[in-house]
Amino acid sequence: MMTAEGAPKKTDDFFFKLLLVGDGGVGKSSILLKFVGDVFDTRCVATLAVEVKIKTVELNGKEVKLQIWDTAGGEKFSGVSTSCFIRTAGIIMVYDMTNKKSFEHITSNWLQNVQDNTNEDVQKVLLANKCDLYDQRMVSKEKGESFAQENGMRFFESSAKTNINVETAILTLVEDIIEKNPTASLLPK
């Protein structure tokens, strides 16, 4: 639970801030809603700046509170999302596997934005969303896997609509954060 001031209660073992980045329309908000509330809404509206959701999970007997920031994907909001990188422990980079430009923007814009605004301890996951639309695929699984491997991040194909790999990808990211940089927690030591 959070206190009135927004600080984690002492009962949480870990408290991490995660950030969803990627172009508008790739499904970042849908991924967040599926993970936090097991909801998928086809009428999901575009995020205008930043939306923050909190979920507590149990991993390996530890209570982990996650503060997940869903950023707007449009270019006009890039300044807003840049300021969101402060104190971020993990990044979820999302592209739509049916939209080649969204993948190209990950490789040409979003990764650079992440590298410019975080340190090397920040863990990253690359999500190819909308894998339920496999007949409309424009980016091969191999291309996504190769890019992720070259840039030191995990790769998953996901679908917020059919709940494929949403929880798995996020919990794997959190496990990586705890394993590789356990001091990334926002809890006082």
Side-chain angles (χ1 to χ4, degrees), residues 26-27 30-32 34-35 38-40 92 94-95 97 125-134 137 141 155-172:
V26 299
S30 294
I31 288 167
L32 180 59
K34 180 56 82 171
F35 180 71
D38 197 23
V39 172
F40 181 81
I92 304 160
V94 184
Y95 69 92
M97 61 172 268
V125 165
L126 180 63
L127 278 185
N129 196 34
K130 304 185 185 182
C131 71
D132 55 297
L133 302 174
Y134 57 88
R137 177 188 293 273
K141 182 177 183 178
F155 174 80
F156 294 91
E157 287 193 335
S158 67
S159 169
K161 182 177 184 178
T162 59
N163 201 21
I164 297 171
N165 281 335
V166 171
E167 185 171 300
T168 300
I170 295 172
L171 294 182
T172 299

Side-chain angles (χ1 to χ4, degrees), residues 71-139:
T71 62
E75 287 182 25
K76 64 183 175 181
F77 298 112
S78 62
V80 173
S81 56
T82 298
S83 66
C84 294
F85 286 103
I86 298 168
R87 299 188 76 175
T88 297
I91 307 285
I92 304 160
M93 301 178 74
V94 184
Y95 69 92
D96 173 353
M97 61 172 268
T98 71
N99 179 336
K100 191 174 180 181
K101 280 204 176 299
S102 70
F103 178 73
E104 291 169 354
H105 289 159
I106 290 285
T107 64
S108 64
N109 298 337
W110 288 106
L111 180 61
Q112 189 63 52
N113 198 2
V114 167
Q115 290 171 337
D116 289 347
N117 292 288
T118 62
N119 62 47
E120 65 276 354
D121 292 333
V122 171
Q123 298 301 304
K124 298 177 280 300
V125 165
L126 180 63
L127 278 185
N129 196 34
K130 304 185 185 182
C131 71
D132 55 297
L133 302 174
Y134 57 88
D135 58 331
Q136 298 174 39
R137 177 188 293 273
M138 298 294 290
V139 182

